Amino acid sequence: MEFAEKQISGCEDKILELMIGLENEEKSLKVAEAELKTEAADVEKEKAEARVRTAEDESFWPGLREARRAALRRGLQRIGSL
């Protein structure tokens, strides 16, 4: 009888340890999920900023390309007039 009670007590202690460990793991999981959510928001913010910069760059390049072509034409016209 005493042996069985010790076995039961040992099992109960093990269950309690596992429950405490599970609680700690759940807390860690919640912290990790919150950090992931924050990082995901930061990534989305950076992606939005990159889209804006890309749009600005894409609108800049055609104007630069046209200005370069015009300068080349003027240069060619000067050479042709020599």
Side-chain angles (χ1 to χ4, degrees), residues 2-18:
E2 210 175 292
F3 175 75
E5 287 176 353
K6 285 183 181 180
Q7 289 293 325
I8 291 171
S9 179
C11 289
E12 288 174 341
D13 290 344
K14 184 67 175 171
I15 290 171
L16 185 58
E17 288 175 16
L18 291 171

Side-chain angles (χ1 to χ4, degrees), residues 25-78:
E25 292 298 321
E26 287 174 342
K27 288 177 187 176
S28 295
L29 177 62
K30 287 182 182 183
V31 168
E33 286 174 338
E35 290 174 354
L36 177 62
K37 187 176 180 179
T38 300
E39 286 185 36
D42 290 343
V43 167
E44 288 303 317
K45 182 181 174 184
E46 289 178 16
K47 285 168 58 176
E49 291 171 356
R51 284 187 205 101
V52 168
R53 278 181 287 182
T54 299
E56 290 171 352
D57 290 346
E58 287 175 349
S59 66
F60 172 75
W61 285 111
L64 181 63
R65 201 173 301 136
E66 279 303 313
R68 187 172 180 204
R69 285 182 184 164
L72 288 172
R73 282 188 206 114
R74 285 192 302 272
L76 289 174
Q77 287 172 351
R78 282 189 219 143

